[in-house]
Amino acid sequence: MDLKEQIKATLVKELDLIDINPAEIDDEAPLFGDEGLGLDSLDAVEIVVLIHKFFKAEIQDMEQGQKALQSINSLTAFIQENQ
């Protein structure tokens, strides 16, 4: 399983996204808002914790988080750069 697949599977499982199949998540789709996964600010906090726990990468501040949490692609790039 590659890193993007691991991230998708982790998000679906840990955020209880029961109606979403990890394989169907578009790598470029926004994680937040009405498009894409439709996550909210509470999910963002949880994702920061999950990234640290499962991928050993730490989001240091809001600016870094906003950049990293845009899509699966941006999250993957962040993890690869910060592991």
Side-chain angles (χ1 to χ4, degrees):
M1 182 181 305
D2 75 3
L3 182 57
K4 283 183 187 178
E5 291 171 351
Q6 287 178 313
I7 293 168
K8 291 176 186 181
T10 300
L11 293 181
V12 168
K13 180 180 180 203
E14 299 296 325
L15 298 177
D16 295 322
L17 304 176
I18 47 178
D19 294 336
I20 298 176
N21 178 341
E24 295 173 354
I25 299 173
D26 181 351
D27 294 345
E28 282 296 322
L31 298 179
F32 300 92
D34 294 335
E35 299 175 30
L37 292 183
L39 302 178
D40 61 24
S41 59
L42 293 176
D43 294 318
V45 173
E46 212 167 333
I47 292 171
V48 169
V49 172
L50 295 174
I51 296 309
H52 183 67
K53 178 180 177 182
F54 289 100
F55 301 102
K56 308 298 184 241
E58 191 170 345
I59 294 176
Q60 301 288 334
D61 55 41
M62 183 91 82
E63 185 178 325
Q64 194 178 46
Q66 286 177 333
K67 184 178 176 189
L69 300 178
Q70 291 179 10
S71 66
I72 295 296
N73 282 341
S74 64
L75 195 50
T76 302
F78 174 81
I79 291 170
Q80 288 172 331
E81 292 168 11
N82 293 280
Q83 265 184 329

